[in-house]
Amino acid sequence: AAALLLLCTAPVSAAGITAETAAEDIIGYNLKKSGAGSIQQWLDGGLSDTAGLSEGYVLALKKYAPTLDYSGCADAFAAYSESDGFTSAAASRQKTALALIACGRKSGGYLDTALEDTLGKQGLMTYVYGLHLINNGIPGGEQKATQTVKTLLERQLSDGGWALAGKNGDVDITAMTLQALAPYYGKSAAVKKAADSALGFLSRSQQSDGGYKSYGTETSESASQTAVALCALGIDVFSDSRFIKNGNTVIDGILKFRLDDGSFCHKTGEGTNSMATEQAFAAFTAVIKGGNIMLFSGSVPALDESALTSDSAVSSGTQGGGASEKPSGGSSEASDKENTVSSGSSSASGDGSSVQSGSVSPSDSSENGAPGEETDSPYSPEDSSAETSGGSGVSSEPDAEKGFPAAAAVIIIVLAAGAAAALVILKVKHKI
């Protein structure tokens, strides 16, 4: 009986809290905050009323509580997509379309033009969220599946990761890209090769407490995005040795940011952060339910494997300085090396509901005037050349820049030593 009870018990983190308990506490925190008496009331009230800000919760809730009535929420998101207040930020528009699909809509309204309207229009993340739409049966997606996957594969960096700028991978961006590529992991050799390399990057980047850093700072969001990506690829976060450091799992890395009221902070020592709490809920949902929590349709399009390894499907382009691809359905795209996230746009402390999942900085733009990159990562690569890769300690400075100061220092030391030796000889020889 004891053995059976042990088998039926959910894995417990080092903090002594299960994913189920943490998820329930996040819901409890939100119900209290919104004044709702049930998850259904929260869905029909606070989440529907804040369309444009609440997509992350709706997507996770659809997996966490699939039997709820999502029709009212679908109506609210549809009305938002047709309103004058509908955001112009491409990735945010894509997340609204995803929420509509999760709530049961398959076509009609904005869904019929969403892919053409957004795919590749604001850099890397609009290919990532665009692929999520394609994976979920968005109208017109089958014709763009191979091209979109190829674009993402071509933008993978040499360390196995992806980033908005610079030569080193970023944990958040890598994890989010893996989530979109995950449905093809067992179907495409090219995708599997890229994903395995990215998993190596994420394994090397994990900290000793199980958590993750992005741009040198350890946050709950970085660990949460990684947990969602691992689950999407079918990896058990509690048993896979690649993602356990000093006995700590990625779930331990998230729980260190848990506050007494069930919410989560962005960095330790800070107060409640809306994005951190939302993404933690998505991570716990992925662990509880298993699999890819961003898939809501029956099947994904088939890929043309030969096109993925050829140079013909998409024009050549690499992250951080290469020529950019021309986006599907459009003629202008911001170059990734110039697309940045607004610094601090989603990392402010407090539980203000104005924090949007996936924000864009109006001050950051490319040379051709295209708007800045959007992402769910709360960081701005203000100086990508000074970034370290996910805590790996590998600087992204060019080798020549690193080598010159060191060589100069050696030369100076040698010259100084030679001068000192010459002075000693003179003193001995001339008795001075």
Side-chain angles (χ1 to χ4, degrees):
L4 182 61
L5 179 62
L6 182 61
L7 288 173
C8 295
T9 301
V12 178
S13 71
I17 300 172
T18 65
E20 287 82 358
T21 299
E24 291 170 2
D25 287 348
I26 291 175
I27 290 175
Y29 163 80
N30 279 286
L31 294 183
K32 182 178 180 180
K33 177 184 170 184
S34 65
S38 66
I39 302 177
Q40 185 69 61
Q41 289 181 8
W42 180 37
L43 183 64
D44 293 337
L47 294 180
S48 294
D49 293 343
T50 55
L53 298 172
S54 57
E55 283 83 350
Y57 270 123
V58 172
L59 294 172
L61 270 179
K62 180 60 178 179
K63 291 293 184 178
Y64 182 84
T67 59
L68 293 176
D69 181 2
Y70 289 84
S71 59
C73 195
D75 292 340
F77 281 112
Y80 169 63
S81 70
E82 297 167 1
S83 70
D84 293 337
F86 190 29
T87 179
S88 61
S92 293
R93 292 168 81 92
Q94 289 171 326
K95 280 179 275 187
T96 297
L98 267 175
L100 281 167
I101 294 173
C103 290
R105 301 291 172 89
K106 296 182 179 179
S107 61
Y110 182 63
L111 290 180
D112 290 341
T113 59
L115 201 60
E116 181 179 355
D117 177 49
T118 62
L119 184 63
K121 295 299 177 67
Q122 285 180 317
L124 179 68
M125 293 311 299
T126 53
Y127 285 111
V128 170
Y129 282 109
L131 186 55
H132 280 307
L133 288 173
I134 292 170
N135 295 343
N136 284 285
I138 192 79
E142 287 191 4
Q143 295 78 15
K144 295 180 173 64
T146 297
Q147 182 179 14
T148 304
V149 170
K150 182 174 175 67
T151 299
L152 291 175
L153 297 187
E154 288 182 334
R155 295 193 176 192
Q156 188 172 28
L157 303 174
S158 59
D159 62 5
W162 282 267
L164 301 185
K167 297 181 180 180
N168 287 340
D170 171 69
V171 169
D172 297 62
I173 304 304
T174 300
M176 287 189 279
T177 304
L178 273 179
Q179 292 165 32
L181 291 171
Y184 305 98
Y185 183 74
K187 301 178 180 180
S188 163
V191 171
K192 185 179 186 304
K193 180 180 178 181
D196 286 343
S197 180
L199 288 171
F201 167 77
L202 290 177
S203 177
R204 294 190 303 272
S205 301
Q206 191 175 26
Q207 305 298 298
S208 61
D209 60 4
Y212 282 89
K213 289 182 178 180
S214 184
Y215 293 99
T217 302
E218 189 170 359
T219 72
S220 60
E221 293 97 324
S222 297
S224 293
Q225 291 289 358
T226 299
V228 174
L230 296 182
C231 290
L233 289 166
I235 294 172
D236 188 338
V237 298
F238 294 108
S239 64
D240 194 306
S241 60
R242 293 174 296 174
F243 299 98
I244 301 175
K245 302 295 189 295
N246 291 338
N248 296 310
T249 70
V250 65
I251 300 304
D252 296 310
I254 302 172
L255 286 172
K256 65 179 289 186
F257 299 94
R258 183 177 181 272
L259 302 177
D260 290 340
D261 61 2
S263 67
F264 283 73
C265 59
H266 166 62
K267 295 188 294 185
T268 55
E270 294 184 345
T272 296
N273 179 274
S274 296
M275 178 180 282
T277 307
E278 173 196 286
Q279 294 189 14
F281 180 68
F284 296 134
T285 297
V287 171
I288 295 167
K289 298 298 181 178
N292 195 332
I293 65 169
M294 295 294 284
L295 277 181
F296 307 99
S297 64
S299 60
V300 298
L303 298 179
D304 181 352
E305 187 71 17
S306 62
L308 292 180
T309 56
S310 71
D311 296 327
S312 59
V314 182
S315 60
S316 177
T318 57
Q319 177 69 29
S324 62
E325 302 84 4
K326 187 163 290 187
S328 304
S331 60
S332 65
E333 176 195 2
S335 173
D336 278 345
K337 66 179 179 179
E338 286 144 357
N339 289 332
T340 57
V341 188
S342 175
S343 178
S345 61
S346 60
S347 61
S349 298
D351 60 354
S353 60
S354 62
V355 178
Q356 182 172 346
S357 176
S359 57
V360 61
S361 169
S363 63
D364 293 323
S365 60
S366 67
E367 294 173 359
N368 63 7
E373 178 77 272
E374 289 183 272
T375 177
D376 283 330
S377 171
Y379 300 102
S380 173
E382 295 173 355
D383 182 7
S384 59
S385 66
E387 174 195 343
T388 56
S389 175
S392 63
V394 181
S395 172
S396 62
E397 291 183 273
D399 291 339
E401 293 179 9
K402 290 187 293 183
F404 178 77
V410 171
I411 292 171
I412 291 171
I413 292 171
V414 171
L415 290 175
L423 182 59
V424 170
I425 293 171
L426 285 173
K427 286 181 178 181
V428 172
K429 184 175 181 179
H430 299 287
K431 296 180 170 54
I432 58 175

